[in-house]
PDB file of all heavy atoms in Angstrom:
ATOM      1  N   ALA H  33     -15.351  -3.967  -8.263  1.00  0.00           N
ATOM      2  CA  ALA H  33     -13.909  -3.951  -8.546  1.00  0.00           C
ATOM      3  C   ALA H  33     -13.298  -2.598  -8.186  1.00  0.00           C
ATOM      4  O   ALA H  33     -12.216  -2.519  -7.607  1.00  0.00           O
ATOM      5  CB  ALA H  33     -13.662  -4.275 -10.022  1.00  0.00           C
ATOM      6  N   GLU H  34     -14.013  -1.519  -8.509  1.00  0.00           N
ATOM      7  CA  GLU H  34     -13.519  -0.177  -8.191  1.00  0.00           C
ATOM      8  C   GLU H  34     -13.485   0.035  -6.676  1.00  0.00           C
ATOM      9  O   GLU H  34     -12.557   0.641  -6.138  1.00  0.00           O
ATOM     10  CB  GLU H  34     -14.425   0.869  -8.841  1.00  0.00           C
ATOM     11  CG  GLU H  34     -13.919   2.288  -8.728  1.00  0.00           C
ATOM     12  CD  GLU H  34     -12.641   2.542  -9.498  1.00  0.00           C
ATOM     13  OE1 GLU H  34     -12.298   1.723 -10.377  1.00  0.00           O
ATOM     14  OE2 GLU H  34     -11.968   3.549  -9.205  1.00  0.00           O
ATOM     15  N   LYS H  35     -14.493  -0.492  -5.969  1.00  0.00           N
ATOM     16  CA  LYS H  35     -14.542  -0.376  -4.514  1.00  0.00           C
ATOM     17  C   LYS H  35     -13.326  -1.053  -3.884  1.00  0.00           C
ATOM     18  O   LYS H  35     -12.680  -0.508  -2.990  1.00  0.00           O
ATOM     19  CB  LYS H  35     -15.832  -1.018  -3.999  1.00  0.00           C
ATOM     20  CG  LYS H  35     -15.963  -1.060  -2.472  1.00  0.00           C
ATOM     21  CD  LYS H  35     -17.352  -1.579  -2.088  1.00  0.00           C
ATOM     22  CE  LYS H  35     -17.448  -1.845  -0.586  1.00  0.00           C
ATOM     23  NZ  LYS H  35     -16.734  -3.041  -0.182  1.00  0.00           N
ATOM     24  N   SER H  36     -12.999  -2.266  -4.381  1.00  0.00           N
ATOM     25  CA  SER H  36     -11.848  -3.001  -3.853  1.00  0.00           C
ATOM     26  C   SER H  36     -10.550  -2.245  -4.095  1.00  0.00           C
ATOM     27  O   SER H  36      -9.678  -2.168  -3.235  1.00  0.00           O
ATOM     28  CB  SER H  36     -11.787  -4.394  -4.500  1.00  0.00           C
ATOM     29  OG  SER H  36     -10.648  -5.096  -4.052  1.00  0.00           O
ATOM     30  N   LYS H  37     -10.433  -1.651  -5.287  1.00  0.00           N
ATOM     31  CA  LYS H  37      -9.232  -0.897  -5.645  1.00  0.00           C
ATOM     32  C   LYS H  37      -9.041   0.309  -4.720  1.00  0.00           C
ATOM     33  O   LYS H  37      -7.950   0.566  -4.218  1.00  0.00           O
ATOM     34  CB  LYS H  37      -9.341  -0.432  -7.097  1.00  0.00           C
ATOM     35  CG  LYS H  37      -8.191   0.460  -7.566  1.00  0.00           C
ATOM     36  CD  LYS H  37      -8.372   0.759  -9.050  1.00  0.00           C
ATOM     37  CE  LYS H  37      -7.296   1.730  -9.527  1.00  0.00           C
ATOM     38  NZ  LYS H  37      -7.504   3.089  -9.021  1.00  0.00           N
ATOM     39  N   ILE H  38     -10.128   1.055  -4.474  1.00  0.00           N
ATOM     40  CA  ILE H  38     -10.041   2.247  -3.623  1.00  0.00           C
ATOM     41  C   ILE H  38      -9.728   1.857  -2.184  1.00  0.00           C
ATOM     42  O   ILE H  38      -8.925   2.500  -1.502  1.00  0.00           O
ATOM     43  CB  ILE H  38     -11.352   3.052  -3.693  1.00  0.00           C
ATOM     44  CG1 ILE H  38     -11.554   3.604  -5.116  1.00  0.00           C
ATOM     45  CG2 ILE H  38     -11.327   4.217  -2.700  1.00  0.00           C
ATOM     46  CD1 ILE H  38     -12.900   4.272  -5.327  1.00  0.00           C
ATOM     47  N   GLU H  39     -10.341   0.771  -1.686  1.00  0.00           N
ATOM     48  CA  GLU H  39     -10.083   0.317  -0.319  1.00  0.00           C
ATOM     49  C   GLU H  39      -8.613  -0.062  -0.136  1.00  0.00           C
ATOM     50  O   GLU H  39      -8.014   0.204   0.908  1.00  0.00           O
ATOM     51  CB  GLU H  39     -10.980  -0.876   0.009  1.00  0.00           C
ATOM     52  CG  GLU H  39     -12.435  -0.499   0.228  1.00  0.00           C
ATOM     53  CD  GLU H  39     -13.350  -1.694   0.417  1.00  0.00           C
ATOM     54  OE1 GLU H  39     -12.963  -2.808   0.002  1.00  0.00           O
ATOM     55  OE2 GLU H  39     -14.443  -1.527   0.960  1.00  0.00           O
ATOM     56  N   THR H  40      -8.014  -0.693  -1.164  1.00  0.00           N
ATOM     57  CA  THR H  40      -6.596  -1.062  -1.100  1.00  0.00           C
ATOM     58  C   THR H  40      -5.718   0.188  -1.033  1.00  0.00           C
ATOM     59  O   THR H  40      -4.755   0.250  -0.258  1.00  0.00           O
ATOM     60  CB  THR H  40      -6.209  -1.904  -2.326  1.00  0.00           C
ATOM     61  OG1 THR H  40      -6.985  -3.108  -2.333  1.00  0.00           O
ATOM     62  CG2 THR H  40      -4.725  -2.271  -2.288  1.00  0.00           C
ATOM     63  N   GLU H  41      -6.054   1.213  -1.850  1.00  0.00           N
ATOM     64  CA  GLU H  41      -5.269   2.451  -1.840  1.00  0.00           C
ATOM     65  C   GLU H  41      -5.371   3.151  -0.486  1.00  0.00           C
ATOM     66  O   GLU H  41      -4.382   3.682   0.022  1.00  0.00           O
ATOM     67  CB  GLU H  41      -5.767   3.373  -2.952  1.00  0.00           C
ATOM     68  CG  GLU H  41      -5.431   2.871  -4.353  1.00  0.00           C
ATOM     69  CD  GLU H  41      -5.738   3.927  -5.409  1.00  0.00           C
ATOM     70  OE1 GLU H  41      -5.360   5.094  -5.195  1.00  0.00           O
ATOM     71  OE2 GLU H  41      -6.352   3.577  -6.417  1.00  0.00           O
ATOM     72  N   ILE H  42      -6.566   3.161   0.099  1.00  0.00           N
ATOM     73  CA  ILE H  42      -6.739   3.788   1.413  1.00  0.00           C
ATOM     74  C   ILE H  42      -5.895   3.077   2.454  1.00  0.00           C
ATOM     75  O   ILE H  42      -5.215   3.692   3.279  1.00  0.00           O
ATOM     76  CB  ILE H  42      -8.227   3.768   1.823  1.00  0.00           C
ATOM     77  CG1 ILE H  42      -9.029   4.749   0.957  1.00  0.00           C
ATOM     78  CG2 ILE H  42      -8.393   4.146   3.304  1.00  0.00           C
ATOM     79  CD1 ILE H  42     -10.520   4.715   1.190  1.00  0.00           C
ATOM     80  N   LYS H  43      -5.905   1.727   2.424  1.00  0.00           N
ATOM     81  CA  LYS H  43      -5.135   0.940   3.386  1.00  0.00           C
ATOM     82  C   LYS H  43      -3.640   1.242   3.258  1.00  0.00           C
ATOM     83  O   LYS H  43      -2.942   1.442   4.254  1.00  0.00           O
ATOM     84  CB  LYS H  43      -5.387  -0.554   3.155  1.00  0.00           C
ATOM     85  CG  LYS H  43      -4.635  -1.463   4.110  1.00  0.00           C
ATOM     86  CD  LYS H  43      -4.944  -2.924   3.813  1.00  0.00           C
ATOM     87  CE  LYS H  43      -4.133  -3.838   4.730  1.00  0.00           C
ATOM     88  NZ  LYS H  43      -4.385  -5.271   4.433  1.00  0.00           N
ATOM     89  N   ASN H  44      -3.143   1.304   2.010  1.00  0.00           N
ATOM     90  CA  ASN H  44      -1.716   1.565   1.788  1.00  0.00           C
ATOM     91  C   ASN H  44      -1.321   2.957   2.280  1.00  0.00           C
ATOM     92  O   ASN H  44      -0.273   3.135   2.910  1.00  0.00           O
ATOM     93  CB  ASN H  44      -1.385   1.429   0.301  1.00  0.00           C
ATOM     94  CG  ASN H  44      -1.421  -0.009  -0.165  1.00  0.00           C
ATOM     95  OD1 ASN H  44      -1.319  -0.929   0.653  1.00  0.00           O
ATOM     96  ND2 ASN H  44      -1.581  -0.229  -1.458  1.00  0.00           N
ATOM     97  N   LYS H  45      -2.169   3.967   2.004  1.00  0.00           N
ATOM     98  CA  LYS H  45      -1.834   5.334   2.416  1.00  0.00           C
ATOM     99  C   LYS H  45      -1.872   5.482   3.928  1.00  0.00           C
ATOM    100  O   LYS H  45      -1.046   6.176   4.514  1.00  0.00           O
ATOM    101  CB  LYS H  45      -2.798   6.321   1.747  1.00  0.00           C
ATOM    102  CG  LYS H  45      -2.525   6.519   0.265  1.00  0.00           C
ATOM    103  CD  LYS H  45      -3.361   7.623  -0.324  1.00  0.00           C
ATOM    104  CE  LYS H  45      -3.063   7.778  -1.817  1.00  0.00           C
ATOM    105  NZ  LYS H  45      -1.662   8.151  -2.071  1.00  0.00           N
ATOM    106  N   MET H  46      -2.819   4.813   4.586  1.00  0.00           N
ATOM    107  CA  MET H  46      -2.885   4.886   6.046  1.00  0.00           C
ATOM    108  C   MET H  46      -1.671   4.204   6.675  1.00  0.00           C
ATOM    109  O   MET H  46      -1.128   4.664   7.679  1.00  0.00           O
ATOM    110  CB  MET H  46      -4.181   4.237   6.542  1.00  0.00           C
ATOM    111  CG  MET H  46      -5.431   5.035   6.192  1.00  0.00           C
ATOM    112  SD  MET H  46      -6.957   4.318   6.824  1.00  0.00           S
ATOM    113  CE  MET H  46      -6.737   4.616   8.581  1.00  0.00           C
ATOM    114  N   GLN H  47      -1.224   3.096   6.048  1.00  0.00           N
ATOM    115  CA  GLN H  47      -0.045   2.398   6.563  1.00  0.00           C
ATOM    116  C   GLN H  47       1.201   3.265   6.412  1.00  0.00           C
ATOM    117  O   GLN H  47       2.018   3.360   7.336  1.00  0.00           O
ATOM    118  CB  GLN H  47       0.128   1.078   5.811  1.00  0.00           C
ATOM    119  CG  GLN H  47       1.264   0.209   6.359  1.00  0.00           C
ATOM    120  CD  GLN H  47       1.409  -1.089   5.589  1.00  0.00           C
ATOM    121  OE1 GLN H  47       1.443  -1.093   4.365  1.00  0.00           O
ATOM    122  NE2 GLN H  47       1.478  -2.188   6.299  1.00  0.00           N
ATOM    123  N   GLN H  48       1.330   3.934   5.245  1.00  0.00           N
ATOM    124  CA  GLN H  48       2.471   4.809   5.025  1.00  0.00           C
ATOM    125  C   GLN H  48       2.464   5.972   6.021  1.00  0.00           C
ATOM    126  O   GLN H  48       3.505   6.357   6.561  1.00  0.00           O
ATOM    127  CB  GLN H  48       2.438   5.356   3.595  1.00  0.00           C
ATOM    128  CG  GLN H  48       2.705   4.294   2.533  1.00  0.00           C
ATOM    129  CD  GLN H  48       2.479   4.823   1.137  1.00  0.00           C
ATOM    130  OE1 GLN H  48       2.286   6.015   0.922  1.00  0.00           O
ATOM    131  NE2 GLN H  48       2.508   3.936   0.156  1.00  0.00           N
ATOM    132  N   LYS H  49       1.279   6.526   6.269  1.00  0.00           N
ATOM    133  CA  LYS H  49       1.161   7.644   7.202  1.00  0.00           C
ATOM    134  C   LYS H  49       1.559   7.223   8.607  1.00  0.00           C
ATOM    135  O   LYS H  49       2.254   7.949   9.330  1.00  0.00           O
ATOM    136  CB  LYS H  49      -0.281   8.152   7.179  1.00  0.00           C
ATOM    137  CG  LYS H  49      -0.496   9.412   8.010  1.00  0.00           C
ATOM    138  CD  LYS H  49      -1.942   9.877   7.883  1.00  0.00           C
ATOM    139  CE  LYS H  49      -2.179  11.112   8.734  1.00  0.00           C
ATOM    140  NZ  LYS H  49      -3.589  11.574   8.634  1.00  0.00           N
ATOM    141  N   SER H  50       1.142   6.019   9.003  1.00  0.00           N
ATOM    142  CA  SER H  50       1.458   5.510  10.331  1.00  0.00           C
ATOM    143  C   SER H  50       2.957   5.290  10.494  1.00  0.00           C
ATOM    144  O   SER H  50       3.548   5.614  11.523  1.00  0.00           O
ATOM    145  CB  SER H  50       0.695   4.205  10.575  1.00  0.00           C
ATOM    146  OG  SER H  50       1.053   3.646  11.821  1.00  0.00           O
ATOM    147  N   GLN H  51       3.595   4.742   9.461  1.00  0.00           N
ATOM    148  CA  GLN H  51       5.029   4.479   9.526  1.00  0.00           C
ATOM    149  C   GLN H  51       5.828   5.780   9.606  1.00  0.00           C
ATOM    150  O   GLN H  51       6.796   5.886  10.346  1.00  0.00           O
ATOM    151  CB  GLN H  51       5.480   3.677   8.298  1.00  0.00           C
ATOM    152  CG  GLN H  51       4.915   2.254   8.239  1.00  0.00           C
ATOM    153  CD  GLN H  51       5.512   1.369   9.318  1.00  0.00           C
ATOM    154  OE1 GLN H  51       6.407   1.770  10.057  1.00  0.00           O
ATOM    155  NE2 GLN H  51       5.000   0.155   9.438  1.00  0.00           N
ATOM    156  N   ARG H  52       5.390   6.793   8.843  1.00  0.00           N
ATOM    157  CA  ARG H  52       6.095   8.082   8.893  1.00  0.00           C
ATOM    158  C   ARG H  52       5.978   8.722  10.275  1.00  0.00           C
ATOM    159  O   ARG H  52       6.918   9.297  10.794  1.00  0.00           O
ATOM    160  CB  ARG H  52       5.519   9.034   7.836  1.00  0.00           C
ATOM    161  CG  ARG H  52       5.890   8.659   6.406  1.00  0.00           C
ATOM    162  CD  ARG H  52       5.647   9.828   5.478  1.00  0.00           C
ATOM    163  NE  ARG H  52       5.901   9.469   4.106  1.00  0.00           N
ATOM    164  CZ  ARG H  52       4.968   9.145   3.232  1.00  0.00           C
ATOM    165  NH1 ARG H  52       3.702   9.120   3.611  1.00  0.00           N
ATOM    166  NH2 ARG H  52       5.272   8.845   1.991  1.00  0.00           N
ATOM    167  N   LYS H  53       4.791   8.606  10.853  1.00  0.00           N
ATOM    168  CA  LYS H  53       4.573   9.175  12.181  1.00  0.00           C
ATOM    169  C   LYS H  53       5.455   8.498  13.213  1.00  0.00           C
ATOM    170  O   LYS H  53       6.051   9.145  14.078  1.00  0.00           O
ATOM    171  CB  LYS H  53       3.097   9.016  12.570  1.00  0.00           C
ATOM    172  CG  LYS H  53       2.746   9.679  13.899  1.00  0.00           C
ATOM    173  CD  LYS H  53       1.263   9.545  14.196  1.00  0.00           C
ATOM    174  CE  LYS H  53       0.920  10.188  15.528  1.00  0.00           C
ATOM    175  NZ  LYS H  53      -0.530  10.039  15.847  1.00  0.00           N
TER     176      LYS H  53
END
Side-chain angles (χ1 to χ4, degrees):
E34 187 66 17
K35 176 174 171 286
S36 177
K37 176 176 176 288
I38 295 173
E39 287 174 339
T40 299
E41 290 189 46
I42 289 175
K43 180 180 177 182
N44 289 340
K45 286 188 180 298
M46 290 182 70
Q47 185 180 48
Q48 291 172 9
K49 186 178 179 181
S50 176
Q51 293 291 355
R52 288 197 184 99
K53 185 177 179 181

